[in-house]
Amino acid sequence: MEFSITEDQRVLVESAGKFAREVLAPGYQLRDKTGRLELDIVRQMGDLGLLGVEMPEAYGGLGMDCVTSGLLLEQLSASDFNMAYVSLLVSLCGQIVNRFASEPLKQEWLPKIIAGEKLIAIALTEPSAGSDAAALQLKAVKEGDHFVLTGEKTSISMADQADVAVVFARTNSDIKGAKGISAFLVPMDLPGITRTAFDDLGTRCVGRGSIFFDGVKVPASHMLGEEGKGFTQVMQGFDYSRALIGLQCLAVARASLDETWEYAKERETFGKPIIENQGVSFPLAEYETYYQAARLVCLETLWLKDNDLPHTSQAAMCKWWGPKLSYDIINQCLLFHGHGGYAKDFPYEQRLRDVLGLQIGDGTAQIMKMIIARSKTGLKLS
């Protein structure tokens, strides 16, 4: 086992941290109010090589490993959970495009996405298909050299801001379940596409909404991989993104813990710092332990992916535990700050709102625990 990082990783991590503290952190709460990503900052992230570092150099990536991608995501998320979401989507969708798109399609889109010039989303969920993603109903009918897409996607992150999306549709209505589903790379400016935005509790500048496809003609060359195998593709991608999500949430918890340790050493009651009370120090010590354990599971999962080893069960652990633990840690840190932490001048309430959404999106805790149980028993549990 090797727990140190390379010199190249250290330089990138320090660069990402400096950028996040100086550029991302000052606008974290403001972007929550405007409800929009700042595209000039996304481009700066691309210019600094902070997006898609695991992508091939031929398309603008750095050709590095997934562990490095996770380390950079941590740095961004500690200062702005939402701008870090851009990095997450580049990694999740970028690997799908890189692995399954035709070369012309990769050349057209990946450099722009990695440079932060274009935003990419993943469109899987539908009104009647969330956790049961194999129940998708969006239709893609072949007509000549095009597929015609008709239906609705909902609960899509960046639905109204993305320039392009990885869209999953049923290309064979005669086959039930996952085997009739294909994936397409769909530009969001095609005729027949309309989009709406939701008024959500958190991750407001990323946004979430619905995408409607009314007879949208997508070139057949935009299919990703083989017809009927799109669902398998996205499930493989989620094993990666679930580890990243764990680190994304835990980074916010880390920032909150660091602030609270310092505050508790300075804040005095009854003539002594509150950190001298075991009622304060012990909960923080416990959360330090849980944080370290959860982070190591996430990093192990990324290491397993980099080494082409099975990691589905570990990814599910990252996804259910990371967001929940982070929410619990931030909540405790808010309480230790008293009414100061309760005020909106402090970032704690926004942090709570932001990380809460990832206890829902990309797979609920119940589904993640089912995945873990299946891997341990070999049974198809429900």
Side-chain angles (χ1 to χ4, degrees), residues 297-313:
V297 173
C298 296
L299 292 174
E300 180 200 21
T301 304
L302 296 177
W303 181 88
L304 290 169
K305 176 176 173 56
D306 283 328
N307 287 275
D308 296 320
L309 296 170
H311 56 283
T312 296
S313 180

Side-chain angles (χ1 to χ4, degrees), residues 40-215:
D40 62 324
I41 294 181
V42 176
R43 294 188 188 98
Q44 289 181 55
M45 292 164 64
D47 289 341
L48 289 171
L50 302 179
L51 300 176
V53 295
E54 71 277 51
M55 293 291 105
E57 295 181 41
Y59 308 116
L62 299 180
M64 302 192 76
D65 57 12
C66 295
V67 169
T68 302
S69 180
L71 295 174
L72 297 182
L73 183 71
E74 280 185 307
Q75 294 296 314
L76 300 176
S77 186
S79 291
D80 190 322
F81 178 87
N82 295 309
M83 295 300 288
Y85 214 98
V86 176
S87 175
L88 172 75
L89 286 171
V90 171
S91 290
L92 169 59
C93 300
Q95 68 160 351
I96 295 172
V97 174
N98 180 55
R99 183 174 179 185
F100 297 106
S102 66
E103 187 59 33
L105 206 57
K106 289 194 281 189
Q107 291 284 358
E108 179 182 1
W109 283 103
L110 282 179
K112 298 173 185 176
I113 292 165
I114 295 168
E117 297 172 3
K118 299 291 183 181
L119 297 175
I120 189 167
I122 188 162
L124 176 65
T125 306
E126 298 181 2
S128 60
S131 296
D132 184 10
L136 300 178
Q137 297 181 14
L138 179 74
K139 291 182 179 180
V141 179
K142 184 74 179 294
E143 292 185 3
D145 59 355
H146 286 75
F147 281 86
V148 179
L149 273 58
T150 303
E152 176 186 355
K153 294 293 181 182
T154 195
S155 195
I156 308 303
S157 296
M158 294 203 306
D160 67 330
Q161 298 187 77
D163 299 291
V164 66
V166 176
V167 178
F168 295 84
R170 188 164 295 283
T171 48
N172 191 332
S173 299
D174 296 328
I175 301 177
K176 302 301 180 184
K179 292 184 178 179
I181 296 170
S182 302
F184 300 86
L185 189 64
V186 182
M188 288 291 100
D189 59 356
L190 291 180
I193 292 178
T194 55
R195 302 184 272 179
T196 62
F198 302 157
D199 186 11
D200 276 347
L201 185 68
T203 59
R204 294 177 60 84
C205 77
V206 173
R208 189 176 62 97
S210 291
I211 306 175
F212 300 92
F213 299 84
D214 185 9

Side-chain angles (χ1 to χ4, degrees), residues 162-349:
D163 299 291
V164 66
V166 176
V167 178
F168 295 84
R170 188 164 295 283
T171 48
N172 191 332
S173 299
D174 296 328
I175 301 177
K176 302 301 180 184
K179 292 184 178 179
I181 296 170
S182 302
F184 300 86
L185 189 64
V186 182
M188 288 291 100
D189 59 356
L190 291 180
I193 292 178
T194 55
R195 302 184 272 179
T196 62
F198 302 157
D199 186 11
D200 276 347
L201 185 68
T203 59
R204 294 177 60 84
C205 77
V206 173
R208 189 176 62 97
S210 291
I211 306 175
F212 300 92
F213 299 84
D214 185 9
V216 178
K217 294 181 67 175
V218 179
S221 60
H222 282 226
M223 180 179 284
L224 301 174
E226 298 177 44
E227 185 171 341
K229 295 189 176 180
F231 187 73
T232 301
Q233 294 168 203
V234 75
M235 287 301 103
Q236 294 171 344
F238 277 160
D239 282 347
Y240 179 31
S241 65
R242 284 167 180 164
L244 293 178
I245 284 170
L247 289 175
Q248 181 187 6
C249 293
L250 288 167
V252 185
R254 176 73 267 157
S256 302
L257 279 170
D258 289 344
E259 294 162 358
T260 305
W261 281 112
E262 289 303 312
Y263 174 81
K265 289 190 292 184
E266 297 171 0
R267 171 65 170 166
E268 292 190 359
T269 58
F270 304 104
K272 65 179 182 179
I274 62 173
I275 197 63
E276 294 185 19
N277 298 304
Q278 293 180 357
V280 175
S281 62
F282 278 18
L284 290 177
E286 290 175 6
Y287 278 130
E288 282 288 340
T289 308
Y290 299 150
Y291 162 82
Q292 292 290 350
R295 181 174 184 264
L296 286 174
V297 173
C298 296
L299 292 174
E300 180 200 21
T301 304
L302 296 177
W303 181 88
L304 290 169
K305 176 176 173 56
D306 283 328
N307 287 275
D308 296 320
L309 296 170
H311 56 283
T312 296
S313 180
Q314 289 89 341
M317 296 174 191
C318 300
K319 176 57 185 64
W320 86 259
W321 194 25
K324 180 186 184 302
L325 176 60
S326 299
Y327 185 91
D328 292 344
I329 289 174
I330 298 164
N331 183 61
Q332 184 62 77
C333 290
L334 184 157
L335 294 175
F336 280 152
H337 276 77
H339 279 133
Y342 191 63
K344 283 199 172 186
D345 292 340
F346 276 58
Y348 292 104
E349 68 86 26

